[in-house]
Amino acid sequence: MRYSGIGGQAVMEGVMMKNGDDYAIAVRTPDQKIVVENFVSAGLFKNKTVKNIPVIRGVVNFIESLTLGMKALTYSASFFEDEEEKKEQNEKKENFVMGLTVAFSVVLAVGIFMILPYGISLLFEKVFTSHWVIALLEGVLRLLIFLGYVAGISLMPDIKRVYMYHGAEHKCINCIENGLDLNVENVRKSSRLHKRCGTSFLLIVMLISILFFMFIQVDQGALRLILRILLIPVIAGVSYEFIRLAGRSDNPIVNIFSKPGLMLQKITTQEPQDDMIEVAIASVEAVFDWKGYVEKIRQEEV
């Protein structure tokens, strides 16, 4: 499995690509032009040693990715706002709103995908006496809620377009990592599924949480809930390590465990239109020397 080191995210009518601390956002504006802007993200945590510690680096990466993703979405959305709304914005206000948005998103996600399944599972304690059965039921409920959410929002027209740009992002990365020139024709025939995907990461979080929570055997319901919340960063860190390994390995066992995430990507990525592929290509070219990378692959294959 070739590893280019680049990653991305679909945004509103565009794609964000990141390579190290550099990232670029390409957006198809209402007048059908492609606007590309480069940024530098030093990250929220400056200590490089801490950021390289297994599991901990997963927590750091998750927080930084969430923050960067919100910034990219806000940036792309600005092209579709009224001019008066743009003039009213200022940097302090944007940062404040960004902080509130990230915090609210985390709280909402914890509430829906962690606390809600736990609360529902408590209703079955009078039916099942086994702690293991209740924990497994909670995990199944969590998976169903997550999958229902992903499938449900895919029916929204705006989200469907985001999923198409998500597909364009994956196709570009696969195109490069397969040693092909980055053009519309080659990208179009590349796969839209990729093992280093945020969708796969979230699904792995759901699956690993089942195993972790099975071992929380305390009688007090409130304490069980608190322990679940406290374990979320650990679960995120472990999940990141798996996704990191999966993105660099073709080990048959790793590939088997990657299958569920790839299957879910059939919902969260859709086949993009050619004009969407052009936007994704523009974002890649702004931060990554794909020609040098592809040439290196071809030399290694000779």
Side-chain angles (χ1 to χ4, degrees):
M1 180 71 183
R2 297 190 180 100
Y3 177 71
S4 63
I6 60 173
Q9 174 185 315
V11 296
M12 183 177 292
E13 294 300 326
V15 173
M16 182 271 289
M17 284 288 182
K18 188 173 186 294
N19 180 26
D21 290 337
D22 298 319
Y23 70 99
I25 305 173
V27 178
R28 176 79 67 178
T29 61
D31 59 1
Q32 297 306 303
K33 294 180 180 178
I34 299 177
V35 174
V36 184
E37 188 164 351
N38 288 70
F39 304 88
V40 176
S41 173
L44 300 176
F45 301 89
K46 310 301 180 183
N47 192 313
K48 298 293 184 181
T49 302
V50 173
K51 293 177 71 171
N52 287 324
I53 299 175
V55 179
I56 292 178
R57 63 188 173 194
V59 180
V60 173
N61 183 271
F62 174 72
I63 296 173
E64 291 184 343
S65 296
L66 182 61
T67 303
L68 183 59
M70 290 293 183
K71 288 182 178 179
L73 283 170
T74 301
Y75 173 83
S76 63
S78 68
F79 288 95
F80 304 91
E81 296 173 348
D82 295 333
E83 289 299 322
E84 293 184 3
E85 292 178 348
K86 291 182 181 180
K87 292 178 182 179
E88 292 176 357
Q89 294 179 346
N90 57 69
E91 187 174 350
K92 288 185 177 181
K93 180 181 177 181
E94 287 182 3
N95 290 337
F96 176 72
V97 173
M98 185 66 61
L100 287 180
T101 302
V102 172
F104 177 74
S105 299
V106 171
V107 172
L108 188 63
V110 170
I112 294 176
F113 301 119
M114 291 295 172
I115 298 178
L116 180 60
Y118 171 72
I120 296 175
S121 70
L122 294 180
L123 300 176
F124 293 88
E125 287 188 337
K126 293 182 179 180
V127 180
F128 303 104
T129 57
S130 171
H131 162 80
W132 303 97
V133 173
I134 295 298
L136 180 60
L137 178 62
E138 177 192 347
V140 171
L141 287 170
R142 182 174 298 109
L143 274 174
L144 291 176
I145 292 173
F146 174 67
L147 295 175
Y149 170 79
V150 171
I153 64 173
S154 69
L155 301 176
M156 301 169 60
D158 289 344
I159 297 299
K160 185 176 181 180
R161 288 189 64 81
V162 171
Y163 283 176
M164 292 170 75
Y165 275 105
H166 190 192
E169 172 221 327
H170 282 193
K171 280 174 168 285
C172 281
I173 296 175
N174 279 322
C175 177
I176 293 169
E177 293 182 341
N178 286 325
L180 300 175
D181 287 343
L182 190 64
N183 55 51
V184 173
E185 182 179 356
N186 286 338
V187 172
R188 191 190 304 119
K189 64 185 180 182
S190 298
S191 173
R192 72 176 197 264
L193 310 182
H194 200 287
K195 289 192 290 185
R196 291 194 321 272
C197 175
T199 301
S200 296
F201 169 78
L202 292 175
L203 183 59
I204 292 298
V205 166
M206 300 297 163
L207 294 173
I208 291 181
S209 68
I210 297 176
L211 298 177
F212 272 69
F213 295 165
M214 277 186 169
F215 291 95
I216 300 179
Q217 300 190 29
V218 293
D219 294 330
Q220 298 88 347
L223 181 57
R224 288 205 304 269
L225 179 57
I226 292 172
L227 289 174
R228 276 161 166 72
I229 295 174
L230 292 177
L231 277 173
I232 291 175
V234 179
I235 294 170
V238 173
S239 301
Y240 172 81
E241 294 302 323
F242 174 79
I243 293 297
R244 190 171 186 268
L245 173 64
R248 300 167 181 260
S249 172
D250 276 325
N251 183 283
I253 297 177
V254 173
N255 287 340
I256 290 174
F257 284 104
S258 298
K259 287 292 184 184
L262 294 174
M263 291 175 64
L264 183 58
Q265 286 178 43
K266 291 183 178 181
I267 298 177
T268 62
T269 65
Q270 298 294 323
E271 288 296 332
Q273 300 168 352
D274 285 356
D275 60 343
M276 295 176 173
I277 293 175
E278 292 171 354
V279 174
I281 290 175
S283 66
V284 173
E285 293 183 329
V287 293
F288 187 69
D289 177 20
W290 66 265
K291 292 182 180 179
Y293 179 83
V294 169
E295 180 61 28
K296 182 178 178 180
I297 290 176
R298 290 173 179 172
Q299 290 177 357
E300 291 174 351
E301 291 178 344
V302 174

